[in-house]
Amino acid sequence: MGCFSSKEGDSKASRIVRWRSTGIVALRDSKLKMFPNEILDMDRVVRTIDLTNNKIIDIPMGISRLINMQRLILADNLIERLPVNLGKLQSLKVLTLDGNQLTTLPDELGMLVRLERLSISRNLLTGLPETIGSLRSLSLLNVSNNKLQSLPESIGSCFSMEELQATDNYIDELPSSVCNLVHLKSLCLDNNDVKQIPLNLLKDCKALQNISLHDNPISMDQFQQMEGYQEFETRRKKKFDKQIDSNVMMNSKGLDVGVDS
């Protein structure tokens, strides 16, 4: 690496030593315009990278060398695309890309088979790759505040999904495959164009406790007439009562359906 003579160099050297000892690279709010190359040189050491709130545009192809990385947090940057070899990060469990400039996601995203949490809200996505269905360990998907008109049919193969957030898009209907998400607890679709949801959703998704459909053209009558509605209401009320018993201050609206006037 060579000797650092300046104070800045000493600081950089000590920072790298700290990264190597902890496996955590934390560079939030650092005014970075590029992904730091020194991170890529640490190969198997890195477990977590947090580069939130910088001005990074590109993720280098060399990121695929960080094969033991479990958490990659790149929220609030200027990233326009993801490298196609991102799928080589086979240890990745958390990927956070909120508040960037992404218009598409690579098919290789589906190779991240250990991924548990994927958050890509506040981007410019018009669609999601069908390969997202390969993410069998995914428990949280947040695609809110994009330009999505639909969700892929393959999403029903994300069998571990517990929370799906897709508010503030242009979605007009859900694929019937969402009924396969038997572990789904929360479905948030506020501010879309949803006119109806799959008829078996409440019947088949027996873990569902919260549905938020505010500002959609679906009516409360439509919702209440669905098979499984009473069982859903029982779960919702049980969850809310449990929160009250625990003195947890939360929004009491387990169901928030936009009703036609």
Side-chain angles (χ1 to χ4, degrees):
M1 184 182 295
C3 296
F4 294 101
S5 58
S6 67
K7 184 176 180 180
E8 180 182 354
D10 292 337
S11 174
K12 184 175 180 180
S14 62
R15 190 169 61 189
I16 292 174
V17 169
R18 184 170 66 252
W19 292 346
R20 286 191 175 277
S21 64
T22 64
I24 299 172
V25 177
L27 288 172
R28 283 178 169 240
D29 307 300
S30 297
K31 300 180 181 179
L32 299 175
K33 294 184 178 180
M34 296 180 62
F35 195 100
N37 283 329
E38 58 265 30
I39 298 176
L40 305 179
D41 294 333
M42 293 192 294
D43 292 337
R44 299 172 183 270
V45 174
V46 178
R47 298 293 191 277
T48 295
I49 294 178
D50 186 352
L51 302 179
T52 299
N53 197 29
N54 283 287
K55 298 182 183 302
I56 298 170
I57 297 175
D58 291 314
I59 302 174
M61 293 286 284
I63 199 170
S64 63
R65 304 208 302 263
L66 308 179
I67 58 174
N68 291 322
M69 181 166 55
Q70 297 181 10
R71 295 167 58 88
L72 178 57
I73 305 171
L74 296 167
D76 298 309
N77 277 279
L78 302 170
I79 298 167
E80 298 178 353
R81 64 184 63 85
L82 301 180
V84 294
N85 63 352
L86 192 73
K88 293 184 177 180
L89 300 177
Q90 292 289 292
S91 298
L92 201 62
K93 294 182 178 181
V94 176
L95 178 57
T96 303
L97 293 159
D98 305 312
N100 279 282
Q101 303 291 316
L102 294 168
T103 55
T104 61
L105 298 175
D107 288 340
E108 288 77 8
L109 186 74
M111 297 171 62
L112 302 175
V113 293
R114 290 187 177 86
L115 198 64
E116 297 174 1
R117 300 174 68 87
L118 174 59
S119 192
I120 41 179
S121 68
R122 295 183 287 115
N123 276 276
L124 303 170
L125 298 174
T126 57
L128 300 176
E130 284 289 339
T131 54
I132 203 166
S134 299
L135 304 180
R136 304 296 170 84
S137 299
L138 196 66
S139 62
L140 167 69
L141 175 62
N142 183 358
V143 292
S144 297
N145 294 93
N146 277 283
K147 298 180 181 297
L148 301 176
Q149 296 183 356
S150 63
L151 298 175
E153 188 71 30
S154 65
I155 203 167
S157 296
C158 299
F159 298 123
S160 299
M161 184 90 69
E162 295 183 6
E163 185 172 355
L164 175 55
Q165 301 177 14
T167 64
D168 294 289
N169 280 285
Y170 302 106
I171 299 168
D172 56 6
E173 64 178 340
L174 295 179
S176 59
S177 66
V178 297
C179 297
N180 298 333
L181 303 178
V182 296
H183 299 291
L184 190 66
K185 295 179 180 179
S186 180
L187 176 61
C188 299
L189 292 162
D190 295 338
N191 299 315
N192 277 281
D193 194 30
V194 177
K195 300 175 180 65
Q196 64 179 25
I197 55 180
L199 294 177
N200 289 333
L201 182 69
L202 300 183
K203 173 188 173 186
D204 293 344
C205 296
K206 298 184 185 302
L208 199 58
Q209 299 172 331
N210 174 65
I211 298 181
S212 190
L213 288 161
H214 187 67
D215 288 339
N216 281 277
I218 189 170
S219 70
M220 177 64 90
D221 285 344
Q222 286 175 268
F223 194 83
Q224 290 177 332
Q225 290 170 11
M226 291 177 60
E227 186 176 358
Y229 173 74
Q230 290 303 326
E231 291 80 2
F232 164 75
E233 266 294 279
T234 299
R235 291 192 301 271
R236 183 185 71 81
K237 289 177 179 178
K238 184 177 180 180
K239 177 190 176 187
F240 179 54
D241 289 344
K242 186 175 181 180
Q243 290 170 351
I244 295 297
D245 291 341
S246 303
N247 295 316
V248 178
M249 299 301 293
M250 296 182 70
N251 187 341
S252 64
K253 291 185 177 180
L255 169 64
D256 189 4
V257 180
V259 180
D260 292 335
S261 57

